[in-house]
Amino acid sequence: MGGTGVHGTEARSAGRGAFRNDVQGLRALAVLIVVAYHANLGFPGGFVGVDVFFVISGFVITAKLLRESRRDGRILFGEFYLQRARRLLPALAVMLAAVAVCAVVFGPIGSVHETLSLGRFASLFSANIGLLGEGDTKAYFAVGADRNALLHTWSLGVEEQFYLGFPLLIALLVVRRRRRRTQQGDLWSFLVLGALTLLSFAVAAALVIRPSERLGSQFAFYAIPTRAWEFLVGALLAMVVDRPSRWSRRTANMTAVVGMLLLVYATFALSGGTPFPGIAALPPVLGTALLIAAGSGGPTLFSPVLEHRLARWIGDRSYSWYIWHWPMIVFSRATFPDAGWTVPAAAVLSLAVSAASYRYIEERFRHRPVSSDAAPAPTLTSHSADRGLVRLRLPVVCVVFPLLLITTVSHVQPSLTKLDWLGNTDVIYRAHLDTELGCKGIPYGAPTPCRWEGGDKGVAVLFGDSFAGHVSEPFVHAATAAGYDAVVVTMAGCTPMDVEDHGKSPDFHRSCREFVEKSIEAIVADPPAQIVIGTDLQTFVSEPDRWVRRSSSEPWARDEAERSAVVTSAFEQFVVDVERAGAALTLLQPPPRLAGEWQLGDCAPISVGLAPGSCAHSEARSEAERGRSDAVEAIDNAARVTDSFVSDPADVICSRDECAAWRADRWWYRDVGHLTVPGAEALTPMFERLIARGSAAAGKAP
């Protein structure tokens, strides 16, 4: 969020008096529920505070523009944009600069690049567009998206884009109004804005209910065309309450109660799983509009709370609190992952930082005198041009400064990842070879960068999903050392068997099936000497929403026993198909699985470097073994049917009693199931043995 119409002290609007203390109180309420939501304080729908801000912004800005047009007969676009820039940009620039510097030390190591990249967009008022370009993995509620310390700047982008275009629309309506009688012109303006509101809402609702391939729920959430209706509801309200209210006290109180109930409902009944911002956005938007409307004629039932000194104090600082709270929450969570108190503490501490930002940045720049262009068409003299350049200096600096700093940090960051006190994350969080070289999804037989020359013994193939990819390093080393050309053939998330996965899109399923079928055809047509298969079968059984079936004509296997039977049968058939090539075949058991959703990428570099134990996750060996038991059984069954070899890395990765992400001065796990590059490299002796065993079985022992 941003702007005078959202978080500032400039709450001058239509209705009672020039300044609306109750609107300031609504700002305070909105930022409180957003911060509480991000701090995990039991507000599942607290993200609707953003929608509250959007309505307030549309209301206040429209009232300001209409008041100016009636007073001066025109809208001074230069003054409007300059005021918005002075109000928003200095605090935003300082926050972006601070986040860029802190991200490489205190930010989650798995999102430093994404944070810096989004910072560039945020500097140019387009963070929402940057997130649109990232696809579904950057959905606001997606797993891992909350590691980006600048994720919240999407709403700033939406609002700043609204500020760019909306005054032009109001100016057109004002011109039209002049050509008609006042009342008729006002009605025409209201109808135009009303039609645009309905159109924007209809598009948002349609895309949320039925996402298309190109424009879906992501577009509905982040894009200005599908968020504009929330601002326009506030704009319509400003036009309606522009005239003195004749509501009785009772009517105003009832309206305010309904509005507050809608806000409370949205805050506690909605959640990240609610399709949004379609129909589900109506309660917070209409609730805010009702509260503003009810307060336009005088005090209401909620006025003592909304107009309280503390509420107004928080409302004044709501912009700064919004822009600072989320980075501080993200950094505290990454730096102190085991301390549950850090997130609420960071949320509270961010208010103190916000108070300082408000006093020393917002107020300092916002209240500097801005010269006014009184003449409708100033003469383009050297003096006026120089004056224009001076007035543009602050906005330009506020854009260029964070951009240059972010670019500098991006260039320096790779060197910092090699420092021991920052965890040497260049090594422990390095991508595996199949990812690093960009060969995921390339079937066997096609040209690929994932081929290494090793000798004249033929080809050894590592085939599978990401559970094959995460052992690329020891496989390539062992195969080439033994005289084989090594080829890595992987596709992340694509378990090599013919099943439909309810958790994957039809497009992904088609791509996966094509990848597997083409690879098997090439393997059978031109058999390699050895094939090593690595895959993740466990999630199909252990995750309740991973329904599976062999074909579209069969019902979904929903319970655990049914899913296990389908997976076992499908994987056995896949191994039988591969066995036709006549190559020495080895099946890899997955690593023992840690519980929960832990990821190394959630930890801050400084925590990984100075206190690795505070960030590491561990599990009793017996529990970790239980976490992969269905996969082990299915792989052992396929090996018995095809007389294949089986290799199990468990005794290398885990001690006798425990499986731990950090053990014996080594990071083993990247997440609860995948290995780090150093963890994988520790399996090199095991791979040397399995390659030698395959050579012996094929009669090609070294």
Side-chain angles (χ1 to χ4, degrees):
M1 279 71 60
T4 303
V6 177
H7 297 297
T9 56
E10 187 181 316
R12 301 183 181 278
S13 56
R16 56 184 177 99
F19 189 88
R20 292 285 298 270
N21 285 327
D22 61 326
V23 173
Q24 286 300 93
L26 276 177
R27 291 193 181 99
L29 178 62
V31 75
L32 280 168
I33 62 175
V34 169
V35 173
Y37 168 71
H38 285 152
N40 301 319
L41 295 179
F43 289 69
F47 55 88
V48 301
V50 173
D51 305 270
V52 175
F53 283 129
F54 287 169
V55 177
I56 294 174
S57 182
F59 175 73
V60 174
I61 292 301
T62 302
K64 175 182 175 62
L65 293 172
L66 290 177
R67 188 171 58 248
E68 180 179 299
S69 69
R70 286 167 182 162
R71 184 190 65 222
D72 303 329
R74 62 194 178 107
I75 293 175
L76 300 174
F77 292 103
E79 295 305 313
F80 176 84
Y81 292 128
L82 186 60
Q83 288 172 6
R84 300 288 78 72
R86 296 171 72 91
R87 173 68 185 87
L88 297 174
L89 299 189
L92 178 62
V94 172
M95 184 276 291
L96 292 175
V99 168
V101 173
C102 292
V104 299
V105 178
F106 303 107
I109 62 177
S111 64
V112 173
H113 173 75
E114 289 80 1
T115 298
L116 295 176
S117 176
L118 191 58
R120 295 187 181 94
F121 282 96
S123 300
L124 298 171
F125 330 127
S126 56
N128 58 323
I129 297 174
L131 289 166
L132 277 175
E134 296 288 348
D136 289 343
T137 58
K138 291 299 180 292
Y140 186 76
F141 303 107
V143 175
D146 60 354
R147 294 191 296 196
N148 193 324
L150 294 176
L151 179 67
H152 66 317
T153 59
W154 73 269
S155 61
L156 298 175
V158 170
E159 188 154 344
E160 288 156 347
Q161 290 154 29
F162 170 76
Y163 288 155
L164 286 175
F166 186 69
L168 300 175
L169 176 60
I170 291 295
L172 291 175
L173 295 178
V174 167
V175 171
R176 176 75 174 183
R177 181 175 175 273
R178 287 178 186 167
R179 296 176 181 175
R180 296 172 175 264
R181 290 176 296 135
T182 300
Q183 186 174 359
Q184 186 179 5
D186 285 346
L187 177 61
W188 188 87
S189 300
F190 186 87
L191 292 176
V192 170
L193 289 183
L196 292 175
T197 303
L198 292 175
L199 177 61
S200 173
F201 172 74
V203 173
L207 291 178
V208 168
I209 295 171
R210 288 190 174 182
S212 67
E213 290 185 6
R214 300 189 65 181
L215 296 178
S217 56
Q218 286 289 91
F219 185 87
F221 193 92
Y222 287 129
I224 184 63
T226 49
R227 287 287 189 168
W229 69 275
E230 301 181 37
F231 297 94
L232 293 175
V233 166
L236 291 171
L237 182 62
M239 299 181 71
V240 171
V241 303
D242 189 46
R243 304 182 186 281
S245 174
R246 294 183 176 86
W247 288 6
S248 67
R249 178 73 177 270
R250 181 180 179 183
T251 301
N253 282 336
M254 290 179 62
T255 302
V257 167
V258 173
M260 187 62 74
L261 287 176
L262 288 173
L263 275 184
V264 171
Y265 167 81
T267 301
F268 292 100
L270 304 184
S271 69
T274 305
F276 203 85
I279 295 174
L282 284 174
V285 170
L286 296 182
T288 304
L290 290 176
L291 283 167
I292 295 174
S296 296
T300 68
L301 186 65
F302 299 107
S303 294
V305 176
L306 295 178
E307 298 186 22
H308 190 275
R309 179 181 299 178
L310 178 59
R312 288 186 284 115
W313 187 89
I314 294 175
D316 289 346
R317 291 149 184 82
S318 57
Y319 172 61
S320 279
W321 198 9
Y322 181 81
I323 64 174
W324 283 103
H325 85 281
W326 179 242
M328 293 183 66
I329 286 175
V330 171
F331 293 159
S332 67
R333 189 170 52 205
T335 305
F336 305 100
D338 281 347
W341 56 267
T342 56
V343 169
V348 173
L349 181 61
S350 66
L351 181 57
V353 176
S354 304
S357 173
Y358 175 76
R359 179 175 179 180
Y360 297 109
I361 302 175
E362 287 188 59
E363 290 290 275
R364 177 181 178 183
F365 288 100
R366 187 163 63 92
H367 290 305
R368 282 187 176 182
V370 180
S371 58
S372 176
D373 296 330
T379 305
L380 293 179
T381 63
S382 175
H383 174 72
S384 65
D386 290 344
R387 184 180 62 180
L389 291 175
V390 170
R391 298 172 70 197
L392 288 174
R393 183 171 56 192
L394 177 65
V396 170
V397 169
C398 289
V399 171
V400 173
F401 169 63
L403 276 175
L404 290 177
L405 185 61
I406 290 170
T407 301
T408 301
V409 172
S410 298
H411 282 90
V412 173
Q413 191 260 343
S415 299
L416 297 178
T417 62
K418 297 177 172 61
L419 300 176
D420 289 339
W421 68 277
L422 289 181
N424 198 14
T425 54
D426 177 61
V427 174
I428 67 170
Y429 205 68
R430 190 172 78 235
H432 289 284
L433 289 174
D434 60 332
T435 301
E436 189 175 56
L437 297 178
C439 50
K440 287 183 177 181
I442 300 177
Y444 182 69
T448 175
C450 283
R451 183 183 181 106
W452 294 262
E453 302 296 328
D456 58 359
K457 289 188 176 181
V459 177
V461 177
L462 177 64
F463 185 21
D465 54 24
S466 59
F467 279 73
H470 76 160
V471 291
S472 301
E473 292 78 15
F475 168 78
V476 171
H477 176 87
T480 54
Y484 293 94
D485 289 350
V487 179
V488 175
V489 181
T490 63
M491 182 174 177
C494 178
T495 305
M497 57 183 181
D498 189 13
V499 296
E500 291 185 29
D501 180 357
H502 184 265
K504 300 289 177 62
S505 69
D507 287 342
F508 181 85
H509 178 66
R510 285 191 293 270
S511 299
C512 175
R513 175 174 288 183
E514 181 179 356
F515 165 77
V516 173
E517 289 178 350
K518 285 186 176 181
S519 295
I520 293 176
E521 290 174 3
I523 285 172
V524 172
D526 185 15
Q530 294 199 46
I531 303 173
V532 179
I533 295 173
T535 187
D536 173 32
L537 302 178
Q538 186 61 41
T539 55
F540 285 100
V541 181
S542 59
E543 296 182 6
D545 60 342
R546 296 292 291 273
W547 305 345
V548 293
R549 60 186 179 185
R550 295 297 299 273
S551 69
S552 58
S553 62
E554 297 179 1
W556 291 106
R558 300 177 182 236
D559 65 47
E560 186 170 330
E562 290 177 342
R563 295 199 305 271
S564 181
V566 169
V567 168
T568 298
S569 172
F571 185 68
E572 176 186 316
Q573 183 60 55
F574 161 72
V575 176
V576 168
D577 291 341
V578 174
E579 186 193 27
R580 289 185 291 131
L585 189 58
T586 300
L587 309 183
L588 294 177
Q589 294 288 8
R593 195 175 190 86
L594 305 180
E597 298 179 350
W598 175 88
Q599 295 190 57
L600 179 58
D602 290 338
C603 302
I606 195 166
S607 296
V608 173
L610 300 182
S614 68
C615 190
H617 185 49
S618 62
E619 191 85 17
R621 174 77 181 263
S622 59
E623 291 298 319
E625 291 286 3
R626 190 174 295 115
R628 65 167 188 160
S629 58
D630 294 287
V632 169
E633 183 177 346
I635 290 170
D636 283 343
N637 176 75
R640 284 192 299 269
V641 171
T642 58
D643 198 27
S644 304
F645 297 116
V646 176
S647 286
D648 191 341
D651 288 337
V652 180
I653 297 169
C654 303
S655 67
R656 185 181 63 179
D657 301 319
E658 182 183 55
C659 296
W662 167 261
R663 183 178 64 82
D665 294 329
R666 184 189 297 264
W667 282 99
W668 295 87
Y669 284 88
R670 186 184 183 93
D671 54 37
V672 295
H674 293 92
L675 302 177
T676 64
V677 170
E681 289 173 340
L683 301 179
T684 299
M686 184 193 85
F687 273 84
E688 290 173 343
R689 290 192 296 272
L690 74 84
I691 291 293
R693 183 177 58 190
S695 295
K700 298 180 181 180

